[in-house]
Amino acid sequence: MRIRFILAPALLGFLILTLLVACGSTSTTTSTEKQQSASDNEVHMTTNDFVQKSITIHKGESITLIADNAVPHYISNGTWNNGSAKPKAEAGAPTANNITINGNSTGKLGPFNTSGTFQFYCTIHPGMNLTVIVQ
Ligand SMILES: [Cu+2]
């Protein structure tokens, strides 16, 4: 009699443990998804500029560039300096050679696998610069 009372909760405990392990593997997937969304690093673009002039991200992450209206943008390594385009790729910078972001759509910049400060510009919009700081 007593043994059954002890065994039944033990069996129940085992079942709960099995369920928890099963749920645990599901929540691992969820935390991976969270990590991905946390590293979305969105930068919006108006008709002729980045909404923010710089963004700080972690090593290994990428940036999602978002055109908020119908104007397309072409992103390359370098910067606008006093109205002149200055193409330049820093050591360790991901290559951006006129990455085309059509109007009302998105594009990816990266991944950034090296720490440092990297400059990007839109080749058709003078002054449209973005600084990416990778930590
Ligand atoms: Cu542009």
Side-chain angles (χ1 to χ4, degrees), residues 47-49 72-75 122 124-125 128:
T47 52
N48 63 355
D49 208 352
H73 299 279
Y74 304 92
I75 309 304
C122 177
I124 60 166
H125 292 126
M128 184 168 172

Side-chain angles (χ1 to χ4, degrees), residues 11-45:
L11 195 68
L12 198 69
F14 174 74
L15 281 173
I16 290 168
L17 202 71
T18 309
L19 276 171
L20 280 176
V21 168
C23 290
S25 62
T26 307
S27 70
T28 303
T29 309
T30 308
S31 73
T32 305
E33 282 164 3
K34 270 180 190 164
Q35 272 182 342
Q36 280 170 348
S37 67
S39 62
D40 270 353
N41 300 323
E42 297 179 346
V43 173
H44 289 260
M45 299 176 290

Side-chain angles (χ1 to χ4, degrees), residues 1-16:
M1 251 324 224
R2 249 186 199 187
I3 291 168
R4 272 194 192 169
F5 275 117
I6 294 165
L7 276 180
L11 195 68
L12 198 69
F14 174 74
L15 281 173
I16 290 168

Side-chain angles (χ1 to χ4, degrees), residues 74-79 87-88 96-99 119-123:
Y74 304 92
I75 309 304
S76 289
N77 299 90
T79 168
K88 179 185 189 282
N97 186 10
N98 275 320
I99 294 173
Q119 309 281 349
F120 297 90
Y121 72 117
C122 177
T123 56

